Amino acid sequence: MRLLLIEDSERLRELVTEAVRAAGWRIDAVGSMAEAEAATAVAQYDALLLDLGLPDGDGVELIRARRAARDQTPILVLSARAGVDDRIGGLDAGADDYLAKPFNSRELLARVRALMRRAPLSAQPVLEAGRLRFDPAAGSAFCGDEPVKLSPRERALLEILMRNVGRVVTSGHLEEALSEFEGTTSRNAVELVLSRLRRKLSPFDVGAAIETVRSVGYLLREVG
C-alpha cells in the first residue's frame, strides 16, 4: 500500500512517515498543494493524508478538485481545525474521514486500515501463493492459519513478490521498495532482506519458493 501525506509541518511529516513505514506501508510526503499535484501526476496512491492549512491553498479545495475530476482515491483529513463545522465542511467536500490534531499514530493507522477495507477502487484482496496469504491492508502474513512475523521491509518485499507470482521482479524494483524505509538501497541489502524472509518462511509448509534469477531479479513460484 502506498500513501501520500500532504502536510506543511516538517516535524509532523517525519512522525507520520515513521509510523506508516513501521506499519509496513510505503509513503511519500510533501508540504504543499503544488507538490501534491506533482506527486499524483506521476504515481498512483491508495490513500491521501491531507492537512487543510497548506501554504499555497486550502486543502478543502484540493478535495473538491479531485472529486470533481472523478478521482475516488480515499482521503483522510488531518487538521487542527477541530470544530464541528470544519469537520462537516471537509466531509461534505468529499473527504472520507477526518482526524483532528493532535492525534495518536495508532488511531491514524487504524483509520487508514478502515479506509482500505471499504475503498472499492483501492482495497486489495488477500494475496495468495501456495499456502501463503498476505493481507495488504493489515500488513499481515499467514501460512495456513499460522501467522508469520515479518519486519516492515520483509513485508514490503513479500507483498511485491506475491503480486507477481510466477513473474520475475527485477532487483531494481525491489531496491526501490526498500528505499522507502532507509534511503538509497543496494542490491546486497535486497539480498539480505530476502535471505531473512526465506529463513522466516522455512519452518512452514508454504507451498511456494522464492527463487533467484541470476543477474535479473527474483520470483515467487508455487511448488508442489
Side-chain angles (χ1 to χ4, degrees), residues 92-113:
D92 282 348
D96 297 274
D97 199 358
Y98 197 109
L99 184 58
K101 300 176 183 178
F103 52 81
N104 182 282
S105 62
R106 291 172 59 207
E107 181 179 2
L108 170 65
L109 298 177
R111 287 176 181 259
V112 172
R113 288 194 295 269

Side-chain angles (χ1 to χ4, degrees), residues 93 115 164:
L115 285 181
N164 294 276

Side-chain angles (χ1 to χ4, degrees), residues 1-196:
M1 188 159 63
R2 187 175 187 179
L3 309 177
L4 177 64
L5 171 63
I6 309 159
E7 165 62 58
D8 65 336
S9 166
E10 182 177 355
R11 179 56 179 161
L12 189 54
R13 287 201 304 270
E14 292 173 352
L15 291 173
V16 172
T17 295
E18 180 180 354
V20 168
R21 289 178 176 169
W25 304 331
R26 301 176 67 188
I27 184 170
D28 297 329
V30 298
S32 68
M33 291 177 64
E35 291 174 332
E37 293 294 341
T40 55
V42 298
Q44 183 174 356
Y45 295 97
D46 295 289
L48 307 183
L49 311 181
L50 173 65
D51 181 23
L52 296 183
L54 297 169
D56 56 347
D58 192 319
V60 170
E61 296 306 317
L62 186 149
I63 297 171
R64 288 180 178 142
R66 300 195 72 82
R67 296 308 186 229
R70 301 184 181 276
D71 182 343
Q72 296 302 310
T73 303
I75 298 175
L76 169 58
V77 170
L78 309 175
S79 178
R81 303 177 193 172
V84 172
D85 288 342
D86 294 312
R87 296 198 300 272
I88 292 173
L91 294 170
D92 282 348
D96 297 274
D97 199 358
Y98 197 109
L99 184 58
K101 300 176 183 178
F103 52 81
N104 182 282
S105 62
R106 291 172 59 207
E107 181 179 2
L108 170 65
L109 298 177
R111 287 176 181 259
V112 172
R113 288 194 295 269
L115 285 181
M116 293 301 95
R117 286 195 296 270
R118 64 177 185 257
L121 295 181
S122 299
Q124 297 292 334
V126 172
L127 306 173
E128 298 185 359
R131 299 186 68 246
L132 191 62
R133 294 183 294 114
F134 184 83
D135 183 342
S140 55
F142 294 85
C143 184
D145 294 325
E146 293 293 320
V148 182
K149 295 183 179 180
L150 302 174
S151 72
R153 289 183 295 174
E154 291 160 358
R155 290 197 298 268
L157 295 193
L158 177 62
E159 179 177 356
I160 293 172
L161 292 172
M162 291 190 71
R163 289 187 184 279
N164 294 276
V165 174
R167 298 194 298 268
V168 176
V169 181
T170 66
S171 299
H173 187 69
L174 296 181
E175 288 169 25
E176 180 184 357
L178 277 189
S179 70
E180 293 290 325
F181 298 95
E182 57 182 21
T184 303
T185 303
S186 67
R187 181 168 298 186
N188 287 340
V190 171
E191 291 176 352
L192 178 60
V193 175
L194 282 167
S195 175
R196 291 173 178 168

